[in-house]
Amino acid sequence: MATTLHTALRDRADLLAFGAALAGLAAGGIAWWTGSPDAARWIWGAVTVLGICCATLWVVRALRRRELDADVIALLALVGALVVGEQLAGALIAVMLTTGSALEGLAEGRARRDLETLLARAPKTARRRTGGQVETVPAERVRPGDVLVVGTGEVLPVDGAVGAGGAVLDESALTGEPLPVEYWEGDAVRSGVVNAGSAFDLRATSTAADGAYAGVLRLVEDAASDKAPAVRVANRVAGWFLPLTLAVCGLAWLLSGELSRAVAVLVVATPCPLILAVPIAMVSALSLTARRGVVVKGSGALESLAAVRTLIVDKTGTLTAGRPALSAVVTAGAVPADEVLRLAASLDQVSAHVLAAAVVRAAHERRLPLSAPTDAEEVTGQGMRGRVDGREVHLGKAAFAGERGDAPWAVAARRRSDADGALTVFVGVDGRAAGVLLFDDPVRPDAARTVRELRRGGIDRVVMATGDRRPVAEAVAAAAGLDEVFAECSPGDKADLVRSERASAPTGMVGDGVNDAPALALADVGVAIGTGGATASSEAADVVLTVDRLDRLAEAMTVARRAKRIAGQSAVGGMALSGVAMAFAALGHLPAAWGALLQEGIDLLAILNALRVLRVGASTVELDDRTQELARRFAAEHVMVRGVLDRLKAAADGLGTDPGPAELDRARKIHTELVEEILPHEQAEEDLLYPAIASAIGGIDPTGPMSRAHVEIRAQSDRLGHLLDRGTPGAADLAELRLVMYGLYAVLRLHTLQEEESYLSLADTAPADTAPAG
């Protein structure tokens, strides 16, 4: 808190100094204009003294950091102007100097990172069982062996072992994974995770200071202290311009014997293009990125962002949606998939389980009518049960839901769950297992497109660091087009990976959880997904995305590189012109006051060049309001498409070697859905969405390949109808029916995902939290 207060006071002092210098320059001008030149010189002299005080403070501050920057030249010029009586020149330099400092202060107002939010999240108290009673004690008084009560939604204050009845924990704060994890009596759990289920007893195995969460805090502190500050453009230019200035100044004084010539050299050598143009270019870029939903914490972070060549990304919340989503409904056959979901969602309306919201959301997306449950109760360690429309419904473990054997459908569902890294919730209806709900963390629709844009913008290597299992991580990496995967990483492992990658190239880290905070603090540039991520990661990061659009990071990198290039042009070009002026001043052809005015002209040119940063547009496609609305409409309709896809695959699976009337009737109903819902949807996209998207993208027939998919979908749907109209199918007809239905499923699924990635993800409300079909 003291550091934050000190920074705020310093920024306020810089603004006050700028205001005083500007007011003094104006007051001196008025005095001169009204015929009081002596008063004007006194006022300008006072402004010059103010500039000397500010410059001295900034030079001392730089020397403490073992740096020598552009302020040294400005300090020498101010002192020289005061010594030879060129108060107007000194006042002009002071105004320019304080202007640059004020701009830097505004740009870097949020540059100081601290650990206050991380510390605030750590529990301050714990509820401890003592002699049959529960007392609230400070967390630091908990000792190994104490039995604590952890309520729903509370953060575990210490590491420990789960008591009787088990626990359901949200470990995303430490692992980044959004799916809850079930633990049984005696299982070891870590501090910093959240109780996502019913209250349970925790036997402490560590103190608060020695727990896993305290370890993350220490990692963040160590990483922040280990991270070297960026070398700024202005300081790099000043590194060679300062000795050049001193050499020319000394030579002019030595050859002419006139101190005024040396002062004139110093005046025109004042590094105002560094003091003004560079901050203006950077502040312009910061403003531009902020309007696009990317908050960059200062110009130093912006310059570092421009230099990044390797990008490490977390999986959860970065490449994926960051919260559980229903991916599929596998049925036992007797109850249709939509009815299984409707019954489960109706019961989950009164459930506090972390997956309940995902079930209810999926039912609403499919427009299923939910009923109010009765007699609902949670059974610790098993699941939930109740009655919906007079039917007894169980949600939870397989045995609790009535699946007591190894039914083929259940075995297939478990195999699919293991392969996809999905979580399963079994649904029982009237004492028998009716199906299973599969949950995963879906890949963001804009992930692959963003990775491609990052590569086009100069990123050479994109790798993933995640706490998830390798098979799941590799599947996400393949979908996004990454170079390498590091799976099952702890917060310390991620920090070590950042150190390793930084040794080869400037490295950025993108994450959204507390577990990413150490790596974000250590990276050359830490980027936090601020919309759904932990505040701790936002505090530890240099860049925060405030919109749920990963592609804005690629835009920000493009803006940062252009701003850095323009800032360099302004600095080098302005100082080159100053060098020419220095030569004239050294030869006695440019007095100090006129030199100050000439320097103003050089500064104006440098500033105008720096303002070109504001002309940078977005690097990605921009949609107008009508196209945005169309994208939102068809994104919502894709929920309907996914429901049809699930039923299409289930109907194809049901066409065995000897299907009955029910299976054939299901296939005919699916064809009806294709004709009445899917084909009109595809035709509306062809007529409305594609022309609008093509206009925004530009080029020659950019939506042509997607239109070809529409033709294939219609052709295969017609073929399915012809096969079903032949009457009772024989063996060959059944084989062809399955082939057509599976083919339709594959084409529709791929086409839907391509549309979401290439078109619908361009909208500001892209469906990032919905699961791909299948």
Side-chain angles (χ1 to χ4, degrees):
M1 179 64 74
T3 301
T4 304
L5 180 61
H6 178 266
T7 302
L9 291 175
R10 192 181 73 187
D11 293 342
R12 179 71 61 84
D14 289 344
L15 287 173
L16 290 175
F18 164 67
L22 186 61
L25 179 63
I30 293 172
W32 183 279
W33 185 264
T34 57
S36 302
D38 291 338
R41 281 191 288 269
W42 276 105
I43 295 172
W44 289 334
V47 175
T48 304
V49 171
L50 173 64
I52 290 173
C53 294
C54 293
T56 301
L57 177 63
W58 298 330
V59 168
V60 170
R61 191 182 296 159
L63 290 175
R64 287 177 178 173
R65 300 192 303 266
R66 298 184 179 182
E67 296 177 358
L68 199 62
D69 59 19
D71 292 328
V72 174
I73 305 174
L75 177 59
L76 293 175
L78 286 163
V79 172
L82 197 62
V83 168
V84 300
E86 293 286 356
Q87 291 90 345
L88 174 59
L92 288 169
I93 296 170
V95 169
M96 289 182 286
L97 188 68
T98 54
T99 300
S101 178
L103 286 171
E104 289 282 358
L106 290 173
E108 298 178 359
R110 297 187 61 187
R112 301 292 179 179
R113 299 185 296 271
D114 55 53
L115 300 178
E116 290 180 8
T117 305
L118 278 170
L119 294 171
R121 186 183 181 279
K124 302 296 186 296
T125 61
R127 290 183 291 165
R128 182 172 63 187
R129 291 190 185 275
T130 305
Q133 296 183 340
V134 177
E135 61 174 343
T136 300
V137 298
E140 60 266 20
R141 287 177 53 188
V142 175
R143 294 293 178 266
D146 290 348
V147 177
L148 310 179
V149 178
V150 183
T152 302
E154 293 182 354
V155 179
L156 275 62
V158 296
D159 296 352
V162 176
V168 178
L169 302 180
D170 176 1
E171 296 188 315
S172 58
L174 293 184
T175 67
E177 298 314 307
L179 301 179
V181 180
E182 294 186 71
Y183 287 93
W184 303 107
E185 182 176 354
D187 287 346
V189 292
R190 296 174 290 177
S191 60
V193 302
V194 179
N195 180 14
S198 304
F200 70 95
D201 284 352
L202 175 73
R203 182 172 295 278
T205 57
S206 76
T207 63
D210 296 330
Y213 191 68
V216 173
L217 292 179
R218 286 191 292 271
L219 280 171
V220 176
E221 290 176 321
D222 294 343
S225 63
D226 188 39
K227 179 177 173 179
V231 180
R232 306 292 307 284
V233 167
N235 291 346
R236 285 198 296 272
V237 176
W240 61 263
F241 193 75
L242 175 59
L244 174 64
T245 299
L246 295 177
V248 174
C249 180
L251 188 62
W253 190 7
L254 180 65
L255 295 179
S256 68
E258 299 177 6
L259 181 60
S260 59
R261 286 199 186 185
V263 172
V265 171
L266 286 174
V267 168
V268 295
T270 303
C272 294
L274 303 182
I275 297 170
L276 282 176
V278 172
I280 285 174
M282 293 302 169
V283 169
S284 298
L286 294 176
S287 173
L288 192 62
T289 56
R291 291 201 301 268
R292 300 293 294 163
V294 183
V295 176
V296 183
K297 298 181 181 179
S299 50
L302 190 77
E303 291 188 34
S304 297
L305 184 64
V308 168
R309 290 296 176 270
T310 297
L311 196 64
I312 303 171
V313 295
D314 178 44
K315 178 180 76 70
T316 304
T318 303
L319 295 175
T320 64
R323 64 175 180 177
L326 182 71
S327 60
V329 180
V330 180
T331 71
V335 182
D338 279 357
E339 181 64 7
V340 170
L341 177 58
R342 189 190 75 82
L343 293 172
S346 296
L347 183 57
D348 264 339
Q349 290 179 109
V350 296
S351 173
H353 196 278
V354 68
L355 293 178
V359 177
V360 175
R361 184 170 63 248
H364 284 317
E365 288 174 346
R366 289 162 173 77
R367 300 177 183 178
L368 301 178
L370 304 186
S371 304
T374 58
D375 301 328
E377 65 170 332
E378 294 200 25
V379 180
T380 303
Q382 296 296 321
M384 188 169 185
R385 64 188 174 195
R387 299 189 70 81
V388 177
D389 295 336
R391 308 187 75 174
E392 186 179 357
V393 180
H394 286 64
L395 302 177
K397 297 185 177 300
F400 180 69
E403 172 50 39
R404 295 176 175 81
D406 290 326
W409 68 271
V411 172
R414 291 190 181 97
R415 188 181 300 117
R416 179 175 175 179
S417 170
D418 292 339
D420 297 343
L423 193 69
T424 59
V425 173
F426 282 80
V427 182
V429 179
D430 295 332
R432 301 188 58 167
V436 59
L437 309 179
L438 300 182
F439 299 86
D440 65 4
D441 184 18
V443 178
R444 297 170 63 102
D446 59 345
R449 179 168 53 81
T450 299
V451 171
R452 292 193 295 270
E453 290 174 1
L454 288 169
R455 294 190 192 280
R456 286 194 295 268
I459 296 296
D460 301 322
R461 174 173 161 82
V462 185
V463 301
M464 178 198 292
T466 177
D468 207 348
R469 297 183 297 113
R470 176 163 291 277
V472 178
E474 288 180 340
V476 174
L482 306 188
D483 295 304
E484 193 170 357
V485 175
F486 296 88
E488 301 177 22
C489 293
S490 67
D493 294 334
K494 292 184 179 182
D496 291 340
L497 176 60
V498 169
R499 289 190 180 93
S500 174
E501 294 292 339
R502 284 183 69 193
S504 302
T507 299
M509 171 72 193
V510 186
D512 80 327
V514 175
N515 63 309
D516 299 317
L520 291 171
L522 182 62
D524 293 296
V525 178
V527 181
I529 310 293
T531 53
T535 308
S537 64
S538 299
E539 290 290 335
D542 304 284
V543 179
V544 179
L545 299 183
T546 61
V547 294
D548 196 25
R549 292 283 302 273
L550 189 59
D551 59 348
R552 296 292 169 83
L553 175 59
E555 289 185 30
M557 286 187 166
T558 299
V559 171
R561 291 191 177 96
R562 178 176 168 85
K564 187 176 181 179
R565 184 173 63 254
I566 290 176
Q569 291 171 355
S570 299
V572 174
M575 302 318 290
L577 292 174
S578 295
V580 174
M582 285 166 54
F584 279 92
L587 295 174
H589 300 313
L590 191 62
W594 285 101
L597 292 176
L598 177 61
Q599 186 65 43
E600 288 282 7
I602 295 173
D603 297 342
L604 181 61
L605 289 175
I607 289 170
L608 290 175
N609 185 64
L611 289 173
R612 289 193 300 118
V613 173
L614 290 174
R615 292 165 48 192
V616 179
S619 62
T620 56
V621 177
E622 289 297 302
L623 305 183
D624 58 29
D625 291 342
R626 176 178 175 274
T627 309
Q628 290 267 8
E629 186 59 37
L630 286 172
R632 285 191 283 267
R633 167 192 160 180
F634 288 107
E637 289 185 12
H638 274 198
V639 176
M640 174 272 295
V641 174
R642 279 188 284 271
V644 175
L645 279 171
D646 286 341
R647 292 188 289 276
L648 174 62
K649 187 173 184 299
D653 292 340
L655 292 176
T657 56
D658 187 22
E663 286 75 17
L664 292 172
D665 186 55
R666 183 186 299 181
R668 292 187 179 94
K669 287 181 179 178
I670 281 295
H671 179 254
T672 300
E673 288 190 79
L674 289 170
V675 172
E676 296 180 354
E677 297 185 33
I678 299 299
L679 294 184
H681 163 82
E682 304 293 345
Q683 188 61 50
E685 286 183 330
E686 188 71 34
D687 296 339
L688 300 175
L689 179 64
Y690 283 17
I693 290 291
S695 176
I697 295 176
I700 301 173
D701 196 19
T703 61
M706 303 295 280
S707 294
R708 181 63 183 83
H710 285 166
V711 174
E712 183 65 19
I713 290 168
R714 179 173 293 278
Q716 293 301 317
S717 179
D718 290 343
R719 185 181 177 194
L720 177 61
H722 292 320
L723 289 170
L724 291 171
D725 288 341
R726 292 180 181 177
T728 303
D733 292 331
L734 282 174
E736 190 172 1
L737 266 175
R738 287 194 298 269
L739 179 63
V740 172
M741 293 176 74
Y742 283 132
L744 261 172
Y745 170 81
V747 172
L748 263 172
R749 181 174 184 269
L750 177 61
H751 179 68
T752 300
L753 292 174
Q754 286 176 325
E755 283 183 335
E756 290 178 351
E757 177 184 323
S758 301
Y759 301 159
L760 304 185
S761 64
L762 297 174
D764 287 335
T765 54
D769 59 346
T770 56

